[in-house]
Amino acid sequence: MEVTNITEYQAIAKEKLPKMAYDYYASGAEDQWTLQENRYAFSKILFRPRILIDVTKIDMATTVLGFKISMPIMIAPTAFQKMAHPEGEYATARAASAAGTIMTLSSWATSSVEEVASTGPGIRFFQLYVYKDRNVVAQLVRRAERAGFKAIALTVDTPRLGRREADIKNRFTLPPFLTLKNFEGLDLGKMDEAADSGLASYVAGQIDRSLSWKDVKWLQTITKLPILVKGVLTAEDARLSVQAGAAGIIVSNHGARQLDYVPATIMALEEVVKAAQGRVPVFLDGGVRRGTDVFKALALGASGIFIGRPVVFSLAAEGEAGVRKVLQMLRDEFELTMALSGCRSLKEITRQHIMTEWDASGPLPAPRL
């Protein structure tokens, strides 16, 4: 059966993967309210398309932190990709490079920064968890720099791991043939089996709960790489991110895997964009499954979006070819949405191209011709 949209990969992945692996990728925290909301919230935003505009040529190219990419669709960090497919992060890196976009490698990848760099050219960011042992962090950041990674995405929403009940039920642990490749030499690469979730126990033992804004400053003393703060959901923290010297903000609720009942990221986006006041770019991750979703995020002020689960599900289904297809399908849908909305370049996508429930209180702003 031909796959015609990226959501269809999830069912294929569910059939192919062991239950423990599929549940790890698919599930959210506690009641999974935010998990459903991340998707559902997009349906509350409608289009105001402009007609009779020459859309013969559509340009989706953009720059992120000065790097030119083919489209504002990038790959979010997701852990343990070799649990989905033997080629894991190698396949994802090659697919991102072929699509002319950015891949973010997880700290908890099953391939090291050096291995991913060896796949060939490409613009890559490195997602960082801050360990209690700061020497480990400094070493890891240096390795990412040496391997040619261009930015650090600092995850700030995980002082403790969210309660993911599927992982507790399954007693989740990394399969014996896999390790956290970036930590192998540091005796931090293995995850022990635990009475609940092996990952939750690992996080409790290794990740620094004391992480604070001063550490964002500290990170800037050990690296020249730009730092994206990943996990911002409020105007207050957007302002603090800018003050702390962040080069950008990723509006993220960790794929609804941390605190349940936080809003969908698309609902938090505009508040964060307004607080950032154009001083740094704001990106979105969480719930993007259609080109229409990408357009809606950009109309609300995002500079680009990141996809996570679609990557691991397509990887499980078809390896590198699956990830390539996901990126191509999203690109094609986004291009079509732009054309049908009357936008020929990203800068032509405006707030006037969408309407939301919370706009209804007053008259719509006068259209710009």
Side-chain angles (χ1 to χ4, degrees):
M1 188 196 71
E2 194 191 350
V3 173
T4 53
N5 66 70
I6 73 177
T7 307
E8 290 174 354
Y9 277 117
Q10 182 160 355
I12 301 170
K14 189 172 186 177
E15 272 179 29
K16 280 200 165 190
L17 290 171
K19 182 172 163 49
M20 183 187 283
Y22 173 79
D23 285 354
Y24 171 75
Y25 294 138
S27 65
E30 295 183 357
D31 298 330
Q32 304 191 115
W33 181 85
T34 298
L35 183 67
Q36 289 173 295
E37 192 66 11
N38 266 357
R39 277 298 307 126
Y40 172 65
F42 279 103
S43 70
K44 297 185 213 170
I45 301 167
L46 302 179
F47 292 124
R48 299 183 69 245
R50 300 301 307 276
I51 52 163
L52 293 173
I53 290 166
D54 177 353
V55 290
T56 313
K57 285 196 178 70
I58 294 208
D59 180 16
M60 289 176 283
T62 187
T63 58
V64 169
L65 303 181
F67 299 99
K68 198 165 174 15
I69 56 175
S70 69
M71 58 183 174
I73 299 161
M74 298 165 282
I75 292 181
T78 50
F80 318 145
Q81 289 181 15
K82 283 188 179 175
M83 203 166 67
H85 187 275
E87 291 182 12
E89 293 85 2
Y90 287 76
T92 303
R94 289 192 296 259
S97 184
T101 193
I102 292 164
M103 172 198 185
T104 316
L105 184 71
S106 169
S107 276
W108 295 337
T110 40
S111 315
S112 67
V113 287
E114 294 82 5
E115 287 172 333
V116 169
S118 79
T119 62
I123 305 156
R124 302 185 185 105
F125 293 173
F126 181 71
Q127 176 271 334
L128 181 68
Y129 281 118
V130 176
Y131 279 59
K132 289 174 183 173
D133 183 344
R134 292 308 162 88
N135 291 326
V136 166
V137 178
Q139 221 175 311
L140 197 53
V141 169
R142 270 200 301 275
R143 281 171 58 198
E145 273 183 326
R146 276 205 301 273
F149 283 70
K150 302 300 185 202
I152 301 290
L154 176 68
T155 297
V156 294
D157 58 12
T158 313
R160 298 172 59 169
L161 202 71
R163 182 176 173 83
R164 307 166 190 178
E165 291 174 5
D167 292 347
I168 297 169
K169 280 191 171 70
N170 294 331
R171 303 269 188 272
F172 175 80
T173 188
L174 206 48
F177 55 91
L178 295 176
T179 60
L180 303 177
K181 261 295 201 262
N182 287 314
F183 300 98
E184 221 175 24
L186 301 158
D187 288 336
L188 295 169
K190 274 288 178 210
M191 192 183 298
D192 300 320
E193 290 197 27
D196 49 10
S197 154
L199 183 62
S201 302
Y202 180 86
V203 169
Q206 302 298 340
I207 303 303
D208 194 346
R209 294 184 186 185
S210 77
L211 191 69
S212 70
W213 290 107
K214 70 175 182 345
D215 298 298
V216 180
K217 295 272 198 200
W218 168 76
L219 207 49
Q220 291 164 74
T221 68
I222 67 160
T223 182
K224 290 282 173 280
L225 294 180
I227 294 158
L228 298 169
V229 178
K230 178 176 183 284
V232 173
L233 292 170
T234 63
E236 296 90 327
D237 286 335
R239 284 189 283 269
L240 290 170
S241 297
V242 173
Q243 284 165 23
I249 291 167
I250 303 175
V251 175
S252 172
N253 53 33
H254 209 117
R257 294 157 74 80
Q258 282 300 100
L259 180 61
D260 201 12
Y261 298 98
V262 294
T265 47
I266 194 69
M267 289 296 160
L269 175 61
E270 197 164 28
E271 173 182 327
V272 172
V273 166
K274 283 177 174 166
Q277 293 180 318
R279 288 174 293 182
V280 299
V282 176
F283 305 95
L284 173 130
D285 91 2
V288 173
R289 299 292 180 274
R290 285 279 188 191
T292 49
D293 300 336
V294 180
F295 187 101
K296 288 170 184 180
L298 268 63
L300 286 168
S303 293
I305 65 92
F306 290 87
I307 50 167
R309 286 186 184 89
V311 171
V312 288
F313 291 147
S314 60
L315 190 59
E318 293 173 6
E320 182 185 335
V323 182
R324 282 182 183 234
K325 195 163 176 190
V326 155
L327 291 167
Q328 189 62 48
M329 281 191 288
L330 259 190
R331 181 190 174 89
D332 291 345
E333 288 181 14
F334 177 53
E335 183 176 23
L336 182 60
T337 306
M338 285 179 68
L340 296 179
S341 296
C343 298
R344 294 161 295 196
S345 66
L346 303 189
K347 68 174 185 299
E348 289 189 354
I349 301 174
T350 69
R351 184 65 170 78
Q352 270 72 60
H353 285 94
I354 57 164
M355 53 183 160
T356 67
E357 289 172 350
W358 58 96
D359 293 333
S361 48
L364 282 165
R368 292 214 319 258
L369 286 171

